[in-house]
């Protein structure tokens, strides 16, 4: 997975990624839950660095636990630059997994983004940290109020999807999708081609062409597209 | 249902429509799910053109099915100008029923708006298409990822409401309501009158009048309103 | 509960309030549901004035009931200046408990804010009223479409929290929290101190200090903070 | 509401009660949640004695609170013989509102039944107590684990229905319905008549008569029923 | 789809049917919702006869509507002997789609079973009718309380599955599955073979053989099974 | 944690366990989801052996994966005799984690019970296996239809509770509770004492004593109990 591949992926929408994966028989790749904290039109691509929470238990989920060897703080220090932190919060909406301070530290470490099916806390502070965040909302309480942190770089579930360490994440205004490692190259190249095709379809529609026969294309449309496509190579 | 009637309705809020229908014993008329993709203060009125999805089945919901005689593409070509497309997506939040291309085609055909209890995909592209959209959110995957399209202009459910072809839809920042055909005239005329009354109440409140006796009005308030009302005819 | 105490609380985030209460063993204090109608960065503090709804029943929840002695109108006239009205709508999302007129009257009476796990109606009009509102969304229908109003200043549930009359509410962009009366002084003073500490931690992180040892602090960090803290008193 | 009326109601199914109330425009009368702990074919009729819980708060929902003046224990001692206790537990499924001891005490006081949208604890012990119970299931934890008790004989919600003290409850294997006081006589008499009619329809179906024209009846069927009905008076 | 094929399917569990369909890439075939009203160990196989409901609307869902040309009564008279009626009730749990009388009529017409993601009413009467029923529970109110009937033999959703008229339904104590018409023969023959294999595995486990290497089988286990299998032909 | 301790716990109801843990500040110990497949009045006590699933992904959750080194089959072979297998299925209700064959193998290995917030498949076969099962229901599809198995003896969530390997599980007709290792001795001894006290309270209630003053006890009741208690030692 070279930087060049990621550069290509950065021009492929999460919508197109899902269509490419559907062609490979994969329907469960879009995480239902994470949304951009503020939709800004940006697209983030990076390897997944996974974080895992289980439900709160009052004897272990305490403010003291923040100093444990297995803690969100320790996990952050293990994150390589450029990764997308993906946190399995089991969709819990009443405890913010991270706030301004942890997001600021992740940003400092050049983490590319935070993606979670849970929520974050201190909305204003998180925006100040400038870390791109995809989450399911905001809550005031800290993670220990509703969650127990148990580790990193394990397989997780997030928004109904299985995510394994080093899968690739693409996140934009339509949410976040996971690409299995083995399919990243396929998705990047086919996806880029598909984007080109859809841009042509969109312009055809703008010109008044109707959809049946155009999308999916009949032979005549295929020929017209092929001619147009040639002008782009 | 003349254009003049629709012109009147365009000045009646969806909130007021629900109150008028409650007076006729109808409580189930506001669709719980569709919200404006971006609240803009606009109000759309039009006849319902219904679309129907059932859950995905892997042998029938394929990208190839987009070319079928019964397809979303074919349905769009059947939509008369001015209708509001209302899509029953059973509240499925993980598959976008339409994206930029289909919305652009609907806009070209002068469809007034899209209303659905499901979601759309390609948020940026849909906004570019300029089609007014009321939906339950955004997802990256295409409809075939989670839904099977089965037809149009049938009775449907949408956001917990029954919608029949040619019922009338009013949609604004408070969401979308359905008016049964037989009640459109009643709702338009009574609703317009009610808007006038509420504008008077609001100005009374601004002047410091307290609510008991004003809303609902006692005899004294009725008299004052009648006097004010006369100045408006 | 003096005004001075409220003044201190106005500088304590709802996030910090939940951490202070967790230190007292209280995890259920953040209401899961109410969100700012538009996030504006403001923070409201006030005594809770509770309102209570039960589900709709067609023989009692009528537009005529708005004139009853037990009605939302009557309740509003009982609200002292400065209170935060907290309405238990059982999370019902299909009937707006208040619209523009009632919100305008509350504003006139100097009610500080409306907080509810239900929704409001007439989004545009509520924004015009200038009453700060925390709610779970918007719906067109009136309260009587889905709710029956039964009284005020009783214990209620709101967003999964118990709220008693004269508890203190703090609401900001992270939502709304309830502080039990007996703990208001503790939360205000400890919370203010905690805000100071977190501001120092944030600046340390900005300077590149890593989190383990800093937050929670080890002895070295405690000493550095103590030195910095001294410069602030 | 005489005993004779209750005697009639004991022969009217909860299903028929809902149909009679629908004829009066009331659709919200069946509680969605309470089911017989064990379906036994029995039917209970009684005045509602309401109980009310709000969510847990750790400072007030304690085992010590069981000794408070406002406690479930105190409420039980206020229940007149023959009432149906209806408890608003907000559908909370993780804390049993009552266990064997409280049910045994209610049985001793000749309470007719317990109906709740919450759950009970100690399934075996509750069955031993012989108190008829309609609930939404079983949980091991006590009420204070998830709920705070706040009072009795107030209006409540239960399973999506409004219940007022002294409304009448009918509960059988189809669940529990609430009859507004003013409609009890109507429901009893019309309901008994409807049961007779349905028994005739059922026997007609058993004889091979098809449904269109029979249910609802056309003129011919009406005449045949009238003849049969006469033989029953 | 001959009777002989159905005879074979009657010995294939719904669990095995889902595994056979998974081998064909179909994961969405088990309906999440319908359960046997009373688990009895029986298995029903039949062609699907679909029924469709949309949400209630007070102007159309009335007790009078039971006499309409498009009504549940009319639909029942169209059902051929042996079919499985599959009703899309959108998972609505508060209105029973059928009660004792309609079930009795279906039984009279030799309908094989009723399968729905909704609920039935009059539990005792439905059991008396002897019609096998898979449903999501029981409610006292009639269909018109929460649903509007709109037609039959259309594509439907039921329990998250797409069901088309004349698909084949298999229902037993594990619930109900739908087999697309084109795959019925495959599922019947492969399923029967799979049942044989699993019976051998079960007996091996009873004899103390451990699972790795047995299920799925390694070469040694395959050989042993082949030998045993030969004794069964 | 000696066998003697487990013997004591076998006489303590899951309900009492939750009350003892509440006295230690732990409210999150009862799993919301697992119920006895058939309530039989039995109580199981054992150390937790945890299993973990994440959501399905079509490239990894295949029938072939059953032969992987990390598979449910391999996990079962690692279970020591007497443990309670606790499976985190994230509450997924549409894929049975285990069926007859795996349950039979667990029984052979003297596993005490299976507890899961998911469901099992092949109800009849699982009952035949005689393995005690607490689960959230039944589904026909296999685990790979909706889940990916990722490992064992890790911290998990189950029914909203955190469960760590070697915590102790108590399961009976009220469901399943988890006791943190450090509290097992406390819960066993205090719980046994509490059972004795509650048996006395129940007999008092049977004798007509009212609850206030008895439960919780006033001084007079404490004295009477102390006298009775002495006769039991």
């Amino acid at each position: 997975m070279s930087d060049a591949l990621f550069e290509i992926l950065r021009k492929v929408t999460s919508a197109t990624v899902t269509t490419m994966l559907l062609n490979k028989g994969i329907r469960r790749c879009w995480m239902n839950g994470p949304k951009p904290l503020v939709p800004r039109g940006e697209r983030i691509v990076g390897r997944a660095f996974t974080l895992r929470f289980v439900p709160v238990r009052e004897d272990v989920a305490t403010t003291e636990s923040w100093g444990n060897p297995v803690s969100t703080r320790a996990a952050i220090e293990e994150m390589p630059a450029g990764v997308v932190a993906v946190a399995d919060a089991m969709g819990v909406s009443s405890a913010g997994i991270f706030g301004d301070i942890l997001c600021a530290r992740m940003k400092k470490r050049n983490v590319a983004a935070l993606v979670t099916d849970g929520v974050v806390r201190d909305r204003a502070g998180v925006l100040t940290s400038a870390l791109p965040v995809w989450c399911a909302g905001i809550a005031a309480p800290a993670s220990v109020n509703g969650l127990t942190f148990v580790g990193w770089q394990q397989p997780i579930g997030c928004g109904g999807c299985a995510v394994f360490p080093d899968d690739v994440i693409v996140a934009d205004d339509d949410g976040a999708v996971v690409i299995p490692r083995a399919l990243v190259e396929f998705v990047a190249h086919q996806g880029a081609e598909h984007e080109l095709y859809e841009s042509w379809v969109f312009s055809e529609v703008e010109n008044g062409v109707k959809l049946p026969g155009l999308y999916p294309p009949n032979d005549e449309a295929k020929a017209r597209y092929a001619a147009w496509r040639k002008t782009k190579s």
Side-chain angles (χ1 to χ4, degrees), chain A residues 135-194:
Chain A
C135 64
I138 304 286
S143 63
V144 290
N145 205 312
L147 296 164
T148 305
F149 183 71
V150 291
W152 59 87
Q153 287 296 64
Q154 305 171 11
I156 59 167
C158 185
C161 290
V163 180
F164 296 83
D166 296 324
D167 286 337
V168 170
I169 306 297
V170 176
D172 59 20
D173 282 3
D174 281 11
V177 295
V178 55
I179 311 175
R181 272 156 290 175
L183 295 172
V184 173
E185 195 156 340
F186 168 82
V187 168
H189 293 304
Q190 296 291 310
E193 192 62 38
H194 189 78

Side-chain angles (χ1 to χ4, degrees), chain A residues 25-93:
Chain A
I26 295 182
R27 286 168 192 263
R28 294 283 284 264
C29 56
W30 178 78
M31 303 176 213
N32 200 345
K35 294 177 195 316
L37 188 52
V38 176
R40 283 194 178 99
E42 71 185 328
R43 181 169 304 116
I44 299 286
V45 178
R47 281 184 177 77
F49 184 98
T50 65
L51 302 168
R52 193 156 82 84
F53 291 90
V54 296
V56 71
R57 204 170 73 193
E58 291 88 345
D59 57 333
V60 287
T62 60
T63 49
E64 289 76 32
S65 72
W66 285 335
N68 284 356
V70 175
S71 68
T72 50
R73 280 80 175 148
I76 289 171
E77 299 302 321
E78 298 295 320
M79 295 178 185
V83 297
V84 174
V86 185
D88 176 353
M90 304 168 304
V92 166
S93 61

